[in-house]
Short mmCIF file of all heavy atoms in Angstrom, two decimals:
data_model
loop_
_atom_site.label_atom_id
_atom_site.label_comp_id
_atom_site.label_asym_id
_atom_site.label_seq_id
_atom_site.Cartn_x
_atom_site.Cartn_y
_atom_site.Cartn_z
N CYS D 185 94.06 -26.05 43.15
CA CYS D 185 94.61 -25.37 44.34
C CYS D 185 94.38 -26.15 45.59
O CYS D 185 95.06 -25.93 46.62
CB CYS D 185 94.04 -23.97 44.46
SG CYS D 185 94.56 -22.81 43.15
N ARG D 186 93.42 -27.10 45.60
CA ARG D 186 93.09 -27.81 46.82
C ARG D 186 93.38 -29.29 46.76
O ARG D 186 93.36 -29.96 47.80
CB ARG D 186 91.61 -27.59 47.17
CG ARG D 186 91.27 -26.17 47.53
CD ARG D 186 89.82 -26.04 47.92
NE ARG D 186 89.51 -24.67 48.37
CZ ARG D 186 89.64 -24.24 49.57
NH1 ARG D 186 90.09 -25.02 50.52
NH2 ARG D 186 89.32 -22.97 49.86
N ALA D 187 93.63 -29.86 45.59
CA ALA D 187 93.70 -31.31 45.52
C ALA D 187 94.48 -31.75 44.26
O ALA D 187 94.79 -30.95 43.35
CB ALA D 187 92.31 -31.91 45.50
N TYR D 188 94.82 -33.06 44.26
CA TYR D 188 95.37 -33.71 43.09
C TYR D 188 94.39 -34.84 42.68
O TYR D 188 93.94 -35.62 43.50
CB TYR D 188 96.71 -34.40 43.41
CG TYR D 188 97.82 -33.46 43.78
CD1 TYR D 188 98.15 -33.26 45.13
CD2 TYR D 188 98.50 -32.73 42.83
CE1 TYR D 188 99.20 -32.39 45.48
CE2 TYR D 188 99.56 -31.88 43.19
CZ TYR D 188 99.87 -31.70 44.53
OH TYR D 188 100.87 -30.85 44.88
N THR D 189 94.10 -34.88 41.39
CA THR D 189 93.35 -36.00 40.81
C THR D 189 94.28 -36.80 39.93
O THR D 189 94.89 -36.25 39.00
CB THR D 189 92.13 -35.47 40.02
OG1 THR D 189 91.28 -34.69 40.81
CG2 THR D 189 91.37 -36.64 39.42
N VAL D 190 94.41 -38.07 40.24
CA VAL D 190 95.39 -38.93 39.56
C VAL D 190 94.66 -40.03 38.81
O VAL D 190 93.77 -40.67 39.38
CB VAL D 190 96.39 -39.52 40.57
CG1 VAL D 190 97.41 -40.41 39.82
CG2 VAL D 190 97.16 -38.46 41.32
N SER D 191 95.07 -40.25 37.58
CA SER D 191 94.50 -41.35 36.77
C SER D 191 95.64 -42.11 36.17
O SER D 191 96.53 -41.57 35.54
CB SER D 191 93.64 -40.79 35.66
OG SER D 191 93.10 -41.85 34.85
N GLN D 192 95.67 -43.41 36.45
CA GLN D 192 96.74 -44.28 35.99
C GLN D 192 96.15 -45.46 35.22
O GLN D 192 95.21 -46.15 35.71
CB GLN D 192 97.55 -44.80 37.20
CG GLN D 192 98.63 -45.76 36.80
CD GLN D 192 99.32 -46.30 38.06
OE1 GLN D 192 99.88 -45.54 38.86
NE2 GLN D 192 99.31 -47.59 38.24
N ARG D 193 96.65 -45.69 34.05
CA ARG D 193 96.18 -46.83 33.23
C ARG D 193 97.41 -47.63 32.77
O ARG D 193 98.32 -47.06 32.17
CB ARG D 193 95.38 -46.36 31.99
CG ARG D 193 94.87 -47.50 31.10
CD ARG D 193 94.12 -46.93 29.91
NE ARG D 193 93.72 -47.99 28.96
CZ ARG D 193 92.63 -48.69 29.04
NH1 ARG D 193 91.76 -48.46 30.04
NH2 ARG D 193 92.34 -49.63 28.13
N MET D 194 97.38 -48.95 33.06
CA MET D 194 98.51 -49.78 32.65
C MET D 194 97.94 -50.97 31.90
O MET D 194 97.05 -51.65 32.35
CB MET D 194 99.32 -50.25 33.85
CG MET D 194 100.53 -51.13 33.48
SD MET D 194 101.74 -51.28 34.79
CE MET D 194 100.76 -52.05 36.08
N THR D 195 98.51 -51.24 30.71
CA THR D 195 98.12 -52.38 29.92
C THR D 195 99.31 -53.30 29.76
O THR D 195 100.39 -52.82 29.33
CB THR D 195 97.63 -51.94 28.50
OG1 THR D 195 96.52 -51.05 28.64
CG2 THR D 195 97.20 -53.15 27.67
N LEU D 196 99.16 -54.56 30.12
CA LEU D 196 100.26 -55.52 30.03
C LEU D 196 99.87 -56.71 29.15
O LEU D 196 98.73 -57.22 29.29
CB LEU D 196 100.64 -56.07 31.41
CG LEU D 196 101.31 -55.14 32.42
CD1 LEU D 196 101.55 -55.88 33.72
CD2 LEU D 196 102.59 -54.59 31.83
N LEU D 197 100.74 -57.12 28.27
CA LEU D 197 100.53 -58.31 27.48
C LEU D 197 101.65 -59.27 27.88
O LEU D 197 102.84 -59.02 27.67
CB LEU D 197 100.62 -57.98 25.97
CG LEU D 197 100.33 -59.16 25.02
CD1 LEU D 197 98.89 -59.65 25.19
CD2 LEU D 197 100.58 -58.77 23.58
N ILE D 198 101.24 -60.40 28.50
CA ILE D 198 102.22 -61.35 29.08
C ILE D 198 102.16 -62.67 28.31
O ILE D 198 101.06 -63.22 28.09
CB ILE D 198 101.91 -61.57 30.55
CG1 ILE D 198 102.07 -60.24 31.33
CG2 ILE D 198 102.84 -62.63 31.14
CD1 ILE D 198 101.68 -60.37 32.80
N ARG D 199 103.29 -63.19 27.92
CA ARG D 199 103.40 -64.51 27.29
C ARG D 199 103.75 -65.51 28.39
O ARG D 199 104.77 -65.39 29.10
CB ARG D 199 104.42 -64.53 26.17
CG ARG D 199 104.48 -65.87 25.44
CD ARG D 199 105.41 -65.83 24.21
NE ARG D 199 106.80 -65.67 24.60
CZ ARG D 199 107.52 -64.61 24.31
NH1 ARG D 199 106.99 -63.59 23.70
NH2 ARG D 199 108.76 -64.54 24.67
N ASN D 200 102.91 -66.54 28.57
CA ASN D 200 103.13 -67.53 29.60
C ASN D 200 104.02 -68.69 29.12
O ASN D 200 104.35 -68.78 27.95
CB ASN D 200 101.74 -68.03 30.06
CG ASN D 200 100.86 -66.93 30.57
OD1 ASN D 200 101.21 -66.22 31.49
ND2 ASN D 200 99.72 -66.75 29.88
N GLN D 201 104.38 -69.58 30.05
CA GLN D 201 105.27 -70.67 29.75
C GLN D 201 104.75 -71.57 28.64
O GLN D 201 105.49 -72.05 27.81
CB GLN D 201 105.53 -71.46 31.02
CG GLN D 201 106.55 -72.59 30.84
CD GLN D 201 106.75 -73.38 32.14
OE1 GLN D 201 105.89 -73.28 33.04
NE2 GLN D 201 107.80 -74.18 32.25
N ASP D 202 103.43 -71.76 28.60
CA ASP D 202 102.84 -72.65 27.56
C ASP D 202 102.63 -71.93 26.21
O ASP D 202 102.06 -72.51 25.31
CB ASP D 202 101.51 -73.20 28.10
CG ASP D 202 100.48 -72.12 28.38
OD1 ASP D 202 100.75 -70.94 28.10
OD2 ASP D 202 99.41 -72.44 28.85
N GLY D 203 103.07 -70.69 26.12
CA GLY D 203 102.95 -69.97 24.87
C GLY D 203 101.68 -69.11 24.77
O GLY D 203 101.56 -68.33 23.82
N SER D 204 100.76 -69.25 25.70
CA SER D 204 99.53 -68.47 25.67
C SER D 204 99.81 -67.02 26.06
O SER D 204 100.79 -66.73 26.76
CB SER D 204 98.49 -69.10 26.61
OG SER D 204 98.94 -69.06 27.95
N LEU D 205 98.93 -66.12 25.64
CA LEU D 205 99.04 -64.72 25.96
C LEU D 205 97.90 -64.30 26.89
O LEU D 205 96.75 -64.71 26.69
CB LEU D 205 99.00 -63.87 24.69
CG LEU D 205 100.12 -64.09 23.65
CD1 LEU D 205 99.87 -63.23 22.44
CD2 LEU D 205 101.48 -63.73 24.29
N SER D 206 98.20 -63.43 27.86
CA SER D 206 97.22 -62.86 28.73
C SER D 206 97.35 -61.33 28.72
O SER D 206 98.46 -60.84 28.80
CB SER D 206 97.32 -63.41 30.18
OG SER D 206 98.60 -63.11 30.71
N ARG D 207 96.19 -60.68 28.60
CA ARG D 207 96.18 -59.24 28.58
C ARG D 207 95.51 -58.69 29.81
O ARG D 207 94.35 -59.06 30.11
CB ARG D 207 95.44 -58.73 27.33
CG ARG D 207 95.43 -57.18 27.15
CD ARG D 207 94.78 -56.85 25.79
NE ARG D 207 94.83 -55.41 25.53
CZ ARG D 207 93.87 -54.58 25.85
NH1 ARG D 207 92.77 -55.02 26.47
NH2 ARG D 207 93.97 -53.28 25.61
N THR D 208 96.20 -57.86 30.57
CA THR D 208 95.72 -57.30 31.80
C THR D 208 95.66 -55.77 31.66
O THR D 208 96.66 -55.18 31.25
CB THR D 208 96.60 -57.66 33.00
OG1 THR D 208 96.64 -59.09 33.16
CG2 THR D 208 96.10 -57.04 34.29
N VAL D 209 94.54 -55.20 32.02
CA VAL D 209 94.38 -53.73 32.01
C VAL D 209 94.02 -53.28 33.40
O VAL D 209 93.04 -53.79 33.98
CB VAL D 209 93.30 -53.31 31.00
CG1 VAL D 209 93.15 -51.80 31.02
CG2 VAL D 209 93.62 -53.77 29.60
N SER D 210 94.80 -52.35 33.97
CA SER D 210 94.54 -51.81 35.30
C SER D 210 94.22 -50.33 35.19
O SER D 210 94.99 -49.59 34.54
CB SER D 210 95.79 -51.97 36.20
OG SER D 210 96.08 -53.31 36.41
N ASN D 211 93.06 -49.93 35.74
CA ASN D 211 92.67 -48.54 35.80
C ASN D 211 92.59 -48.15 37.26
O ASN D 211 91.85 -48.76 38.03
CB ASN D 211 91.31 -48.33 35.11
CG ASN D 211 91.42 -48.48 33.62
OD1 ASN D 211 91.92 -47.61 32.93
ND2 ASN D 211 90.96 -49.63 33.10
N TYR D 212 93.30 -47.08 37.63
CA TYR D 212 93.42 -46.69 39.01
C TYR D 212 93.25 -45.18 39.07
O TYR D 212 94.01 -44.41 38.45
CB TYR D 212 94.79 -47.13 39.54
CG TYR D 212 95.21 -46.59 40.88
CD1 TYR D 212 94.44 -46.86 42.01
CD2 TYR D 212 96.40 -45.90 41.04
CE1 TYR D 212 94.87 -46.39 43.26
CE2 TYR D 212 96.81 -45.43 42.24
CZ TYR D 212 96.05 -45.70 43.39
OH TYR D 212 96.45 -45.27 44.62
N ASP D 213 92.22 -44.72 39.82
CA ASP D 213 91.93 -43.28 39.92
C ASP D 213 91.83 -42.85 41.36
O ASP D 213 91.19 -43.55 42.16
CB ASP D 213 90.64 -42.95 39.17
CG ASP D 213 90.68 -43.29 37.70
OD1 ASP D 213 91.30 -42.54 36.93
OD2 ASP D 213 90.16 -44.37 37.31
N THR D 214 92.41 -41.70 41.68
CA THR D 214 92.31 -41.18 43.05
C THR D 214 92.06 -39.67 43.02
O THR D 214 92.45 -38.97 42.08
CB THR D 214 93.63 -41.45 43.88
OG1 THR D 214 94.69 -40.77 43.25
CG2 THR D 214 93.92 -42.95 43.93
N TRP D 215 91.48 -39.22 44.09
CA TRP D 215 91.39 -37.81 44.42
C TRP D 215 91.97 -37.62 45.80
O TRP D 215 91.63 -38.33 46.71
CB TRP D 215 89.93 -37.32 44.42
CG TRP D 215 89.78 -35.88 44.82
CD1 TRP D 215 89.71 -34.79 44.04
CD2 TRP D 215 89.68 -35.36 46.18
NE1 TRP D 215 89.60 -33.62 44.75
CE2 TRP D 215 89.55 -33.94 46.09
CE3 TRP D 215 89.69 -35.94 47.43
CZ2 TRP D 215 89.45 -33.15 47.21
CZ3 TRP D 215 89.59 -35.13 48.55
CH2 TRP D 215 89.47 -33.73 48.46
N GLU D 216 92.95 -36.72 45.96
CA GLU D 216 93.63 -36.54 47.24
C GLU D 216 93.79 -35.08 47.59
O GLU D 216 94.26 -34.27 46.76
CB GLU D 216 95.02 -37.18 47.18
CG GLU D 216 95.81 -37.11 48.47
CD GLU D 216 97.18 -37.80 48.35
OE1 GLU D 216 97.31 -38.70 47.51
OE2 GLU D 216 98.10 -37.36 49.11
N SER D 217 93.31 -34.69 48.76
CA SER D 217 93.47 -33.29 49.16
C SER D 217 94.91 -32.94 49.33
O SER D 217 95.73 -33.77 49.70
CB SER D 217 92.72 -33.07 50.49
OG SER D 217 93.32 -33.78 51.54
N LYS D 218 95.28 -31.67 49.03
CA LYS D 218 96.68 -31.26 49.14
C LYS D 218 97.17 -31.31 50.60
O LYS D 218 98.35 -31.46 50.81
CB LYS D 218 96.85 -29.88 48.54
CG LYS D 218 96.95 -29.89 47.04
CD LYS D 218 97.48 -28.57 46.52
CE LYS D 218 97.82 -28.66 45.04
NZ LYS D 218 98.35 -27.38 44.51
N GLY D 219 96.25 -31.16 51.54
CA GLY D 219 96.68 -31.25 52.94
C GLY D 219 97.03 -32.69 53.32
O GLY D 219 97.64 -32.97 54.39
N GLY D 220 96.61 -33.67 52.48
CA GLY D 220 96.99 -35.06 52.70
C GLY D 220 96.10 -35.81 53.68
O GLY D 220 96.50 -36.95 54.06
N HIS D 221 94.93 -35.31 54.00
CA HIS D 221 94.14 -35.97 55.05
C HIS D 221 92.86 -36.65 54.49
O HIS D 221 92.21 -37.37 55.21
CB HIS D 221 93.70 -34.96 56.11
CG HIS D 221 94.87 -34.29 56.81
ND1 HIS D 221 95.90 -35.03 57.34
CD2 HIS D 221 95.18 -33.01 57.06
CE1 HIS D 221 96.76 -34.22 57.90
NE2 HIS D 221 96.35 -32.99 57.71
N ARG D 222 92.55 -36.42 53.22
CA ARG D 222 91.38 -37.04 52.63
C ARG D 222 91.67 -37.59 51.24
O ARG D 222 92.48 -37.05 50.49
CB ARG D 222 90.25 -35.99 52.51
CG ARG D 222 89.70 -35.47 53.83
CD ARG D 222 88.58 -34.46 53.61
NE ARG D 222 89.09 -33.26 52.98
CZ ARG D 222 88.46 -32.53 52.04
NH1 ARG D 222 87.31 -32.95 51.59
NH2 ARG D 222 89.03 -31.42 51.56
N MET D 223 91.01 -38.72 50.93
CA MET D 223 91.29 -39.39 49.68
C MET D 223 90.07 -40.20 49.27
O MET D 223 89.37 -40.77 50.10
CB MET D 223 92.52 -40.29 49.82
CG MET D 223 92.81 -41.19 48.63
SD MET D 223 94.18 -42.30 49.02
CE MET D 223 94.11 -43.40 47.54
N SER D 224 89.83 -40.27 47.97
CA SER D 224 88.87 -41.23 47.44
C SER D 224 89.59 -42.00 46.34
O SER D 224 90.56 -41.51 45.72
CB SER D 224 87.61 -40.54 46.85
OG SER D 224 87.97 -39.66 45.82
N PHE D 225 89.16 -43.23 46.08
CA PHE D 225 89.88 -44.10 45.14
C PHE D 225 88.98 -45.12 44.47
O PHE D 225 87.91 -45.46 45.02
CB PHE D 225 91.00 -44.85 45.91
CG PHE D 225 90.47 -45.74 47.01
CD1 PHE D 225 90.14 -47.06 46.80
CD2 PHE D 225 90.27 -45.24 48.32
CE1 PHE D 225 89.66 -47.87 47.82
CE2 PHE D 225 89.76 -46.01 49.32
CZ PHE D 225 89.45 -47.33 49.08
N VAL D 226 89.40 -45.56 43.31
CA VAL D 226 88.73 -46.66 42.64
C VAL D 226 89.78 -47.40 41.81
O VAL D 226 90.60 -46.76 41.12
CB VAL D 226 87.54 -46.18 41.72
CG1 VAL D 226 88.00 -45.16 40.70
CG2 VAL D 226 86.86 -47.35 41.06
N LEU D 227 89.76 -48.72 41.90
CA LEU D 227 90.72 -49.58 41.17
C LEU D 227 89.95 -50.64 40.46
O LEU D 227 89.11 -51.35 41.04
CB LEU D 227 91.71 -50.26 42.15
CG LEU D 227 92.55 -51.34 41.53
CD1 LEU D 227 93.55 -50.83 40.51
CD2 LEU D 227 93.32 -52.13 42.64
N ARG D 228 90.19 -50.76 39.14
CA ARG D 228 89.55 -51.82 38.34
C ARG D 228 90.65 -52.52 37.53
O ARG D 228 91.48 -51.84 36.93
CB ARG D 228 88.48 -51.31 37.42
CG ARG D 228 87.28 -50.74 38.14
CD ARG D 228 86.19 -50.31 37.14
NE ARG D 228 85.03 -49.80 37.83
CZ ARG D 228 84.83 -48.53 38.13
NH1 ARG D 228 85.80 -47.64 37.83
NH2 ARG D 228 83.72 -48.12 38.74
N GLN D 229 90.64 -53.81 37.55
CA GLN D 229 91.62 -54.61 36.79
C GLN D 229 90.87 -55.64 35.99
O GLN D 229 90.01 -56.34 36.55
CB GLN D 229 92.67 -55.22 37.65
CG GLN D 229 93.77 -56.00 36.91
CD GLN D 229 94.89 -56.40 37.79
OE1 GLN D 229 95.45 -55.56 38.50
NE2 GLN D 229 95.22 -57.67 37.78
N THR D 230 91.20 -55.77 34.70
CA THR D 230 90.47 -56.74 33.87
C THR D 230 91.49 -57.67 33.22
O THR D 230 92.63 -57.26 32.91
CB THR D 230 89.64 -56.06 32.77
OG1 THR D 230 90.52 -55.33 31.91
CG2 THR D 230 88.65 -55.12 33.35
N GLU D 231 91.09 -58.88 33.01
CA GLU D 231 91.87 -59.87 32.24
C GLU D 231 90.95 -60.48 31.23
O GLU D 231 89.91 -61.05 31.56
CB GLU D 231 92.46 -60.94 33.18
CG GLU D 231 93.51 -60.42 34.12
CD GLU D 231 94.14 -61.54 34.97
OE1 GLU D 231 93.72 -62.67 34.79
OE2 GLU D 231 94.98 -61.19 35.82
#
């Protein structure tokens, strides 16, 4: 009733020009008040 908690996870597997593969994982989490004036956040990305 007072806020939105958002969790986003994206996993990408990318093939590069030389044929190698890279795996990237992004984790992004926020808490945002419904009035829109307060927010907390954390972003982590791994390769």
Side-chain angles (χ1 to χ4, degrees):
C185 291
R186 294 183 177 272
Y188 296 101
T189 301
V190 180
S191 179
Q192 177 184 302
R193 179 181 175 88
M194 181 163 61
T195 302
L196 291 179
L197 185 63
I198 298 174
R199 184 173 67 245
N200 302 301
Q201 184 181 15
D202 61 5
S204 63
L205 297 176
S206 59
R207 183 174 183 268
T208 299
V209 179
S210 298
N211 289 285
Y212 171 58
D213 299 282
T214 63
W215 176 94
E216 181 179 334
S217 66
K218 279 194 170 181
H221 301 310
R222 293 180 293 141
M223 173 185 171
S224 60
F225 60 91
V226 58
L227 168 68
R228 294 184 179 90
Q229 182 170 308
T230 63
E231 292 182 3

